[in-house]
Amino acid sequence: KLKHPDAWIRFEHGELSREGFLDEFFADGRSFDHAAFESMIRDGYAFLPGIERLLAELAATQRAGAALSVHALSNYPEWYVWIEDKLRLSRFLEWSFVSCQVGLRKPDPKLYEHVLRTLDAAPEDCLFVDDRQKNLDPAAALGMRTHLFQDADHLREALVAEGILPAPTV
């Protein structure tokens, strides 16, 4: 209850600037060290175990000629550029659908419709991966295949089962 009730959502939608968000962060308007807060956020970005390797496998599969494209569909504000600066995710995916750029957030069904229109893709040709079931449900309702993210190993198994990655050779 200390945080402003809708500042983060407006920041993710691109309706609030970084400075505006920081000014409204606390509901009571208290001051705090903005630079230290942002530094803590920036320093906290890291790959989950096994994800960088899995993304590299997907990128190699794509380079090998597979009909595959990987896109970020993220509820996030302009700070996503810090993730890019630190982790260089663009080696593996396109930052195509970040909420601060498109003005829509998961689980709004309009976002998934926007994705399909932008990619000119049939829903059944898309696999949407997310760590929250409430974000998967609207995608599934449109006909997208979905996977509830638990960890890199389970995701790799799902990607093999979907025919996106080759089965491991023994």
Side-chain angles (χ1 to χ4, degrees), residues 43-61:
D43 292 345
Y45 297 128
F47 283 106
L48 295 173
I51 289 296
E52 185 174 19
R53 183 172 155 233
L54 182 55
L55 288 170
E57 288 177 47
L58 285 167
T61 300

Side-chain angles (χ1 to χ4, degrees), residues 13 30 71-72 89 141-142 157:
H13 271 110
R30 74 182 73 181
H71 301 267
L89 284 177
L142 287 172
E157 290 173 12

Side-chain angles (χ1 to χ4, degrees), residues 147-166:
H147 174 76
L148 181 62
F149 179 81
Q150 298 167 355
D151 58 40
D153 290 338
H154 285 98
L155 179 53
R156 177 179 278 101
E157 290 173 12
L159 294 171
V160 169
E162 291 283 347
I164 295 169
L165 285 179

Side-chain angles (χ1 to χ4, degrees), residues 12-13 73 75 104-113 128 130 132-139 141-142:
E12 281 187 343
H13 271 110
L73 175 59
N75 288 351
L104 297 165
R105 294 177 76 244
K106 300 174 286 186
D108 185 340
K110 292 177 188 168
L111 175 59
Y112 306 93
E113 293 165 358
F128 177 57
D130 201 277
R132 294 184 179 169
Q133 187 64 47
K134 73 177 187 176
N135 292 336
L136 296 173
D137 292 341
L142 287 172

Side-chain angles (χ1 to χ4, degrees), residues 3 8 17-18 26 42 61-62 89 110 146 148-149 160 163:
K3 293 189 293 183
W8 179 256
S17 68
R18 191 176 102 235
F26 286 109
R42 195 176 310 117
T61 300
Q62 184 177 4
L89 284 177
K110 292 177 188 168
T146 61
L148 181 62
F149 179 81
V160 169

Side-chain angles (χ1 to χ4, degrees), residues 6-170:
D6 71 357
W8 179 256
I9 291 171
R10 290 185 294 131
F11 189 34
E12 281 187 343
H13 271 110
E15 297 167 3
L16 266 183
S17 68
R18 191 176 102 235
E19 295 80 12
F21 168 71
L22 293 169
D23 288 343
E24 291 188 28
F25 183 78
F26 286 109
D28 63 6
R30 74 182 73 181
S31 63
F32 66 102
D33 186 338
H34 294 183
F37 177 76
E38 288 186 320
S39 179
M40 178 195 67
I41 298 291
R42 195 176 310 117
D43 292 345
Y45 297 128
F47 283 106
L48 295 173
I51 289 296
E52 185 174 19
R53 183 172 155 233
L54 182 55
L55 288 170
E57 288 177 47
L58 285 167
T61 300
Q62 184 177 4
R63 283 191 305 273
L68 169 70
S69 62
V70 181
H71 301 267
L73 175 59
S74 177
N75 288 351
Y76 217 67
E78 62 187 68
W79 290 342
Y80 81 92
V81 298
W82 295 345
I83 298 170
E84 175 59 27
D85 288 344
K86 185 170 182 183
L87 305 179
R88 299 181 350 194
L89 284 177
S90 61
R91 295 175 290 158
F92 311 120
L93 57 79
E94 296 181 46
W95 288 99
S96 307
F97 307 103
V98 183
S99 62
C100 68
Q101 294 177 331
V102 299
L104 297 165
R105 294 177 76 244
K106 300 174 286 186
D108 185 340
K110 292 177 188 168
L111 175 59
Y112 306 93
E113 293 165 358
H114 171 74
V115 168
L116 293 172
R117 276 192 314 275
T118 301
L119 297 177
D120 192 25
E124 62 273 11
D125 293 336
C126 298
L127 173 65
F128 177 57
V129 177
D130 201 277
D131 63 348
R132 294 184 179 169
Q133 187 64 47
K134 73 177 187 176
N135 292 336
L136 296 173
D137 292 341
L142 287 172
M144 290 181 182
R145 301 177 337 254
T146 61
H147 174 76
L148 181 62
F149 179 81
Q150 298 167 355
D151 58 40
D153 290 338
H154 285 98
L155 179 53
R156 177 179 278 101
E157 290 173 12
L159 294 171
V160 169
E162 291 283 347
I164 295 169
L165 285 179
T169 55
V170 182

